[in-house]
Amino acid sequence: MPLPRWFRRVVVAPAMVFLLFGLLLTMPVWLLIVGVVSIGLKGRRRLLRVVWLVAVYIVMELVVLLELFGLWLAAGCNATRVRSPKFQLRHYQLVGWVLRVASKQAGRVLKLRIETDGPDPDAHPGRPLIVLCRHAGPGDSFLLTNALINKYAREPRIVLKDTMQWDPAVDVLLNRLPSRFISPNPGSSGDAVEAQIAMLATGLDENDAFVIFPEGGNFTPKRRTKIIASLKKRGLHKAARRAEEMIHVLAPRPGGVVTALKAAPKDADVLLVAHTGLDHMLTVADVWRELPMDKTITMRFWLVPAAEVPRDDADQQVEWLYEWWERIDDWIEEHRPVG
């Protein structure tokens, strides 16, 4: 459960700024120490690579927090004005800069390459998009958002886990943009979550992209087994059988997708996104063992025109979503790295 907003703003964010300044001032010392230690370690300088990325994160976190404070002052310390279209554009530009820097550093330090397949997400310019993406492996949400903002000039509206607000920069930045932080296990608050999703999907314009991860969490074999057991316990035996046949993805949670399709403009196309290359990295130990990753991440896009998306019947929408997730599972099986 995230900390209260007032505590995050008054205590956590200022404390993070002072901490980051302290780390920044001592950065040359501990980078030198880690570099010397890494020379004597076997492997591919994993420790130095990780510490360098941590250093990049510290600098970027500090720059973003200071820039956000500057935008707050420029808006006259007015919460309404700082969320106006003019300032929202500035915030999206800031997100784009962060993702460009992070992508370049990850590519250089971790030796990652990204290849895309399928029609471009802007194949239908001037049309709003609903983006449904599989969720697996470290950093896939950043890869998707980077592509939408920096390559296709879209302004994403994203549904995220509420625990993401523990990061002060993410907390302040995305709470000023059209986004929603929700609990992945809302329980009795499911209606409230769907209401938030509906608000976010309403009024999409020609350069907006509503983004949701229908699986509700990162893929792991343990989570897959748990979801299948839950479907059986709830008497959803057909859905459980289909979930068992999907090996590389979790059974989608249709509630958020159905709500988004109902609330979004009728001319909104749907973009489905799958990827493979990092999905076998399930733990911190997996990531550490693979460093530097030296891998190619393949992202596959499918663009479904608005006329081909079921709009009025929830059962048809659930069936349509499951069929697409089965197709994505088959694509992953065909394209996942050998070994």
Side-chain angles (χ1 to χ4, degrees):
M1 181 176 180
L3 299 169
R5 174 174 291 197
W6 70 266
F7 187 83
R8 301 197 308 265
R9 296 292 193 273
V10 177
V11 178
V12 176
M16 176 65 79
V17 171
F18 284 111
L19 174 62
L20 293 176
F21 264 121
L23 292 173
L24 189 60
L25 291 174
T26 59
M27 183 186 300
V29 177
W30 47 268
L31 279 176
L32 179 61
I33 294 174
V34 170
V36 172
V37 172
S38 296
I39 294 175
L41 294 177
K42 294 181 179 180
R44 295 168 288 180
R45 298 182 180 177
R46 293 186 178 95
L47 182 60
L48 184 59
R49 294 176 191 276
V50 170
V51 172
W52 176 256
L53 291 178
V54 171
V56 171
Y57 165 78
I58 289 171
V59 173
M60 293 177 62
E61 184 87 1
L62 186 57
V63 170
V64 170
L65 287 172
L66 293 176
E67 177 67 16
L68 290 171
F69 182 66
L71 289 172
W72 174 257
L73 294 178
C77 303
N78 187 297
T80 301
R81 189 181 177 199
V82 82
R83 291 176 175 82
S84 66
K86 173 184 175 181
F87 280 92
Q88 279 198 359
L89 177 59
R90 296 281 298 276
H91 284 77
Y92 274 120
Q93 291 171 343
L94 180 59
V95 175
W97 173 81
V98 169
L99 294 173
R100 280 195 303 273
V101 173
S103 177
K104 288 180 180 179
Q105 289 295 320
R108 183 170 65 87
V109 177
L110 303 180
K111 296 184 179 180
L112 289 177
R113 298 168 298 279
I114 301 174
E115 295 180 354
T116 59
D117 187 19
D120 289 341
D122 62 348
H124 292 182
R127 304 275 288 273
L129 281 179
I130 300 173
V131 183
L132 312 180
C133 185
R134 87 167 293 211
H135 205 359
D140 59 354
S141 56
F142 294 98
L143 293 173
L144 174 62
T145 309
N146 182 48
L148 290 174
I149 293 180
N150 289 320
K151 190 173 182 180
Y152 303 112
R154 291 282 177 165
E155 295 183 352
R157 301 184 181 187
I158 309 176
V159 179
L160 309 99
K161 289 184 179 179
D162 53 6
T163 52
M164 293 290 290
Q165 294 176 102
W166 289 23
D167 183 302
V170 172
D171 179 22
V172 178
L173 180 54
L174 295 189
N175 271 304
R176 292 183 187 176
L177 293 173
S179 59
R180 290 294 183 275
F181 293 92
I182 63 174
S183 169
N185 298 299
S188 60
S189 63
D191 291 341
V193 170
E194 291 188 2
Q196 292 186 67
I197 292 174
M199 290 176 60
L200 200 60
T202 300
L204 299 174
D205 61 26
E206 68 279 357
N207 68 339
D208 284 332
F210 172 86
V211 181
I212 190 170
F213 296 86
E215 292 160 297
N218 216 16
F219 174 89
T220 66
K222 182 178 180 180
R223 184 171 287 158
R224 173 178 173 271
T225 302
K226 183 178 179 181
I227 289 175
I228 293 172
S230 175
L231 290 172
K232 291 179 178 178
K233 184 177 180 180
R234 292 156 54 197
L236 302 175
H237 299 294
K238 180 181 178 181
R241 287 194 298 271
R242 297 178 77 168
E244 288 176 326
E245 294 173 356
M246 294 185 287
I247 306 301
H248 308 290
V249 296
L250 304 178
R253 298 182 178 184
V257 176
V258 170
T259 299
L261 291 174
K262 182 179 180 180
K266 298 302 181 184
D267 63 340
D269 297 330
V270 174
L271 180 71
L272 294 111
V273 184
H275 57 84
T276 187
L278 299 179
D279 34 352
H280 63 289
M281 299 185 190
L282 306 177
T283 66
V284 174
D286 292 337
V287 176
W288 175 259
R289 184 176 57 251
E290 295 283 346
L291 291 176
M293 295 174 182
D294 194 18
K295 297 183 182 301
T296 298
I297 302 172
T298 303
M299 298 187 70
R300 178 66 162 95
F301 299 98
W302 294 269
L303 188 63
V304 183
E308 299 178 13
V309 180
R311 295 287 181 177
D312 301 320
D313 189 297
D315 291 336
Q316 290 181 3
Q317 291 170 340
V318 173
E319 176 65 23
W320 174 84
L321 179 62
Y322 262 84
E323 288 176 355
W324 267 107
W325 239 243
E326 290 164 345
R327 179 173 175 178
I328 287 173
D329 185 66
D330 291 339
W331 178 87
I332 296 170
E333 175 63 28
E334 294 174 5
H335 295 85
R336 64 192 178 98
V338 178

